[in-house]
Amino acid sequence: MSSPATTEATWAPTGRTVATICAVGILVVGQLYVVLPVLGDLAAAWDTTHAAVTWTTTAFGLAYGAGFLVTGPLSDRWGRRPVIVGGLAATALSTLAVIAAPSLGTGIAARVVQGLTASFFAPAAFAYLAERIAPQRRVFALTCLTSSFLGAGVLAQVFAQLVDAAFGWRAVFVVGAAAFAISALALRAVLEPGQRADSTASAASAFTAFASLLRAPRLALLYLSCLAVLGSFVGIYTGVQLAPHEGVGTSSTALLVLRASAIPAMIAIPLLATRLGAINPERRLITSLTTAGTTAAIAALPFGGIWVGTCLFVFVAAIAIAAPAAVQAIAARAGEARGAATALYTFALFLGASAGPQLANLVAENGFTAVALAIATLGFIGAALAFASTRIRTP
């Protein structure tokens, strides 16, 4: 087993491993978002409504987030590589199951299974990087992984829209299943087998740690604020699909350009990780969620497509800053229970991601303005909760 203190001489192959893990992270988390551009096609195939089909996003997100609470301890018992590789292989099969679904009910069930199998990746990947990467490189590596999760929200939508236009919605999942199979083989080759982190850990001890963390008021408020991070992110893009801004229109080209406009923000934020890391994480979280809420509110103004695209660029950049800030703030308060704290953090993120589409769906009939204002409110509530956490005195 390699020492965590990875040397500069060994950073090159380790860097390639980090890049591979981040690429797979885009694929895994992207499954949450790939249905957004094809909601209309799914509704037609399953003879239902656009609003009903949004539950395929919610079902995946809930299963994905809940799975972390189990798969995190499993990676401690079984080792990181077996959990990652086995989870990816299983997700290749569960992704194909979505194609075979004949109705909305079975489609939602298939998405639940897909979310559960996909949940094997993130906790083990975070733990692998924390154990294998040299301390001076660790923050950058973890920021890249977190940013890849957020970048998936934009890249997966662009990918799904292009593939759907060329080959139909089923091809989106066929390509995804093939990519999962290839990823399983690739990571089996590049990940070091290593030893199990804690072969004596039990599920009961993990849940005891979860309960202890949630009893701390400051941490509880931070976890609640995390609901707004991906909740607002997924919510506003669901709104873009269900109720496009009048200045953008409903053409597939216009929506593609609008989604792609946020990609530069996903590239820029990891490059600024070192400078952003010098700022207190709770201050970063409060400021970024406030910025996201303000930008969402401004996007509701009746201006053109360039205006909306610019607002989404700033909005996505703010969310990309908020996500790593939240996990850093939580880890700083978690003491020895950092593994459990990270699992709860990812659970809160994707619980919010599951609620976001339903929030957008609830107000979409009133137009994009209503969606944007609802998302703005969610961002402001998240910022307020994070601020409240700093007002609590702890021993």
Side-chain angles (χ1 to χ4, degrees):
M1 179 175 179
S2 300
S3 169
T6 308
T7 64
E8 188 70 27
T10 62
W11 170 247
T14 305
R16 288 192 292 271
T17 300
V18 172
T20 304
I21 290 174
C22 290
V24 175
I26 293 174
L27 171 66
V28 172
V29 180
Q31 297 308 300
L32 175 69
Y33 305 98
V34 291
V35 297
L36 296 182
V38 299
L39 289 177
D41 292 333
L42 291 175
W46 292 336
D47 192 24
T48 186
T49 65
H50 283 59
V53 174
T54 61
W55 282 99
T56 58
T57 302
T58 299
F60 180 94
L62 286 174
Y64 186 62
F68 292 147
L69 302 181
V70 177
T71 58
L74 285 181
S75 75
D76 289 338
R77 292 180 63 84
W78 296 346
R80 313 306 181 196
R81 190 173 78 162
V83 166
I84 289 174
V85 174
L88 291 173
T91 308
L93 298 176
S94 63
T95 301
L96 288 175
V98 179
I99 303 170
S103 65
L104 176 62
T106 52
I108 290 175
R111 289 282 283 172
V112 168
V113 176
Q114 189 191 25
L116 288 173
T117 56
S119 71
F120 279 74
F121 176 77
F126 272 118
Y128 184 91
L129 292 180
E131 294 163 358
R132 301 285 182 166
I133 302 302
Q136 66 270 23
R137 302 283 189 176
R138 196 171 297 151
V139 172
F140 175 75
L142 293 175
T143 300
C144 285
L145 182 57
T146 303
S147 296
S148 75
F149 291 169
L150 292 171
V154 177
L155 295 173
Q157 291 185 73
V158 172
F159 158 79
Q161 183 172 336
L162 292 173
V163 173
D164 177 48
F167 305 106
W169 71 269
R170 288 181 175 83
V172 174
F173 293 98
V174 171
V175 174
F180 276 116
I182 294 170
S183 297
L185 295 175
L187 285 182
R188 188 178 188 280
V190 301
L191 296 182
E192 298 180 30
Q195 299 175 353
R196 297 173 183 179
D198 184 3
S199 60
T200 63
S202 66
S205 65
F207 283 100
T208 299
F210 294 153
S212 177
L213 291 165
L214 292 174
R215 282 196 298 267
R218 192 162 188 172
L219 279 171
L221 288 171
L222 283 173
Y223 284 125
L224 287 174
S225 73
C226 289
L227 298 175
V229 177
L230 286 191
S232 59
F233 183 81
V234 183
I236 201 163
Y237 276 105
T238 303
V240 166
Q241 185 67 28
L242 295 178
H245 192 286
E246 292 181 0
V248 176
T250 59
S251 72
S252 59
T253 301
L255 293 177
L256 178 64
V257 171
L258 186 62
R259 291 185 176 107
S261 67
I263 292 177
M266 308 305 337
I267 298 173
I269 296 306
L271 299 178
L272 299 174
T274 302
R275 293 186 179 182
L276 291 171
I279 304 172
N280 177 276
E282 289 167 332
R283 182 180 301 173
R284 270 185 287 145
L285 178 60
I286 296 166
T287 303
S288 56
L289 285 177
T290 301
T291 301
T294 302
T295 307
I298 293 174
L301 295 175
F303 297 127
I306 295 178
W307 174 266
V308 179
T310 302
C311 288
L312 279 181
F313 174 88
V314 177
F315 176 88
V316 169
I319 295 299
I321 294 171
V327 71
Q328 288 171 358
I330 288 168
R333 300 286 173 185
E336 295 298 320
R338 289 187 178 180
T342 302
L344 277 177
Y345 158 77
T346 47
F347 170 72
L349 277 186
F350 286 95
L351 182 62
S354 302
Q358 299 312 314
L359 175 61
N361 184 41
L362 186 66
V363 299
E365 63 180 13
N366 298 312
F368 182 79
T369 296
V371 173
L373 292 178
I375 297 304
T377 302
L378 181 60
F380 291 141
I381 290 174
L385 289 167
F387 177 77
S389 74
T390 66
R391 302 294 94 187
I392 296 176
R393 295 183 179 275
T394 55

